[in-house]
Amino acid sequence: METILLKKMCEIIGWRETEADGIFSPGGSISNLYGILVAHYKQYPEIKTKGMTALPCIVLFVSEQVRSLFSKKKLQQSLVWELITGKMIPAELEKNILQAKSKGQTPFYVTATAGSTVFGAFYPLHDIADICEMHKLWMHVDELGEVACCCPETTPINSVALKGETPAIACATCNQMQTGYLFQPDKLYNVDFDTGHKSIQCGRHVDIFKLWLTWKDVEQYLLVKFPFNDICIYTQIAPKIKAQMIEEGTGMLNYQPYGDKVNFFRMVFSNPATRQTDVDYVIDEIQRLGKDL
């Protein structure tokens, strides 16, 4: 299932089989981790045998609106991060790249976003790509939609680490450890489906399954723009409203502050069964519970 769908996705994007490879994963954070691992291995293959100490002081550029993976303490301790405030602006990115070079650091990796986690914002990918090409940096695009192709009637959410325009061998060998009891190199049969060497996990769930079922149901794939339904509603009393929602059992909404702005409700409508009445209900509940607060 995974092999067939990855091939189909690459065809839709326009990548040949020799140009791309990929693996489905449990979520976006793991997919982003794969992106970093492959970028490391492609640029510095010696990292597999010598570790990070064999590398120069490489710098990764991200914006503060990226997924939680990039703020994990373990990654911060092992890598040099350049955090760009707010949305990634090309001119600011280039300024940060030049500053890193002036410090004797090696700019290496840029994470752009096609649909940020909170606001669903799209970064100017073409302009960022031009800068990455000029400075010979690896450009990674973190996409909230996760899959590059999805069914028009139903939108399942999966996560796939799909790497293109680089030899597929980099993806295939980046995490390969030649574990003798799992992936013996002398098997006397077709090992095309023996894809465990791509994964950092030993055992994997069938992450491809729901996307496969959806595909079989409609028997067609179309390249679409993922509907980024991040609805953000500012209110100064979001925590109090949510507390009453929980106590009454009428709803569960996520809220958070952003910068110096007050808490706001953040709703992501990813269920294809969502209807106008569902949205109306949420708004009515916020108004009902907030009017006396």
Side-chain angles (χ1 to χ4, degrees):
M1 295 177 186
E2 191 171 61
T3 301
I4 290 173
L5 284 184
L6 285 170
K7 180 179 179 181
K8 185 67 176 178
M9 291 166 68
C10 289
E11 288 176 356
I12 292 174
I13 295 172
W15 291 335
R16 297 187 297 272
E17 288 188 57
T18 55
E19 292 178 323
D21 196 5
I23 187 171
F24 280 81
S25 67
S29 290
I30 297 295
S31 286
N32 285 327
L33 177 58
Y34 278 119
I36 294 175
L37 293 174
V38 173
H40 274 157
Y41 182 73
K42 177 66 167 57
Q43 186 70 16
Y44 304 103
E46 64 271 21
I47 194 173
K48 280 190 69 170
T49 55
K50 298 181 180 179
M52 291 288 294
T53 56
L55 276 57
C57 182
I58 58 176
V59 184
L60 292 81
F61 299 86
V62 300
S63 88
E64 62 182 2
Q65 296 183 12
V66 298
R67 291 179 190 274
S68 60
L69 165 79
F70 296 102
S71 61
K72 298 291 186 183
K73 288 297 182 183
K74 288 295 183 183
L75 282 176
Q76 288 182 344
Q77 292 167 4
S78 60
L79 301 170
V80 177
W81 297 94
E82 185 67 39
L83 187 65
I84 297 174
T85 304
K87 184 176 178 179
M88 185 172 284
I89 300 172
E92 287 296 312
L93 171 62
E94 186 159 32
K95 177 182 176 181
N96 280 268
I97 291 172
L98 295 174
Q99 286 178 347
K101 288 183 176 181
S102 69
K103 297 176 184 177
Q105 298 171 329
T106 303
F108 166 68
Y109 184 103
V110 174
T111 292
T113 299
S116 62
T117 304
V118 176
F119 294 114
F122 280 75
Y123 292 2
L125 301 180
H126 291 291
D127 294 337
I128 293 174
D130 290 341
I131 293 172
C132 290
E133 184 176 9
M134 181 189 308
H135 294 278
K136 302 187 185 306
L137 308 185
W138 179 285
M139 179 178 175
H140 174 79
V141 179
D142 178 21
E143 183 192 0
L144 185 61
E146 311 301 355
V147 287
C149 50
C150 58
C151 306
E153 292 85 357
T154 307
T155 308
I157 295 182
N158 277 77
S159 184
V160 56
L162 189 65
K163 307 302 166 194
E165 297 184 353
T166 183
I169 190 66
C171 294
T173 60
C174 172
N175 301 311
Q176 189 174 28
M177 297 303 294
Q178 297 289 359
T179 308
Y181 64 91
L182 288 177
F183 309 113
Q184 300 89 343
D186 58 346
K187 291 177 179 176
L188 301 178
Y189 54 86
N190 187 348
V191 295
D192 288 348
F193 299 134
D194 205 357
T195 59
H197 59 276
K198 298 179 187 178
S199 173
I200 58 176
Q201 301 164 259
C202 185
R204 286 200 297 147
H205 291 288
V206 190
D207 297 307
I208 184 62
F209 195 51
K210 62 182 177 181
L211 185 58
W212 169 268
L213 289 178
T214 306
W215 177 59
K216 295 299 288 185
D217 181 48
V218 300
E219 296 183 355
Q220 183 179 6
Y221 268 82
L222 296 176
L223 183 64
V224 300
K225 292 183 178 179
F226 190 88
F228 289 89
N229 296 328
D230 292 46
I231 310 301
C232 301
I233 302 175
Y234 280 99
T235 170
Q236 296 184 7
I237 52 175
K240 293 182 179 180
I241 294 176
K242 178 173 181 176
Q244 290 200 209
M245 278 188 176
I246 298 297
E247 290 174 2
E248 296 186 20
T250 60
M252 293 183 68
L253 296 181
N254 182 36
Y255 69 84
Q256 69 180 81
Y258 184 75
D260 58 354
K261 296 182 175 62
V262 298
N263 284 308
F264 61 89
F265 282 116
R266 172 178 169 260
M267 296 170 285
V268 182
F269 295 101
S270 59
N271 186 344
T274 302
R275 298 292 179 264
Q276 180 68 44
T277 53
D278 301 313
V279 181
D280 291 340
Y281 169 79
V282 172
I283 301 300
D284 290 343
E285 273 298 283
I286 292 175
Q287 291 179 329
R288 181 182 73 84
L289 296 173
K291 65 181 181 181
D292 296 326
L293 295 176

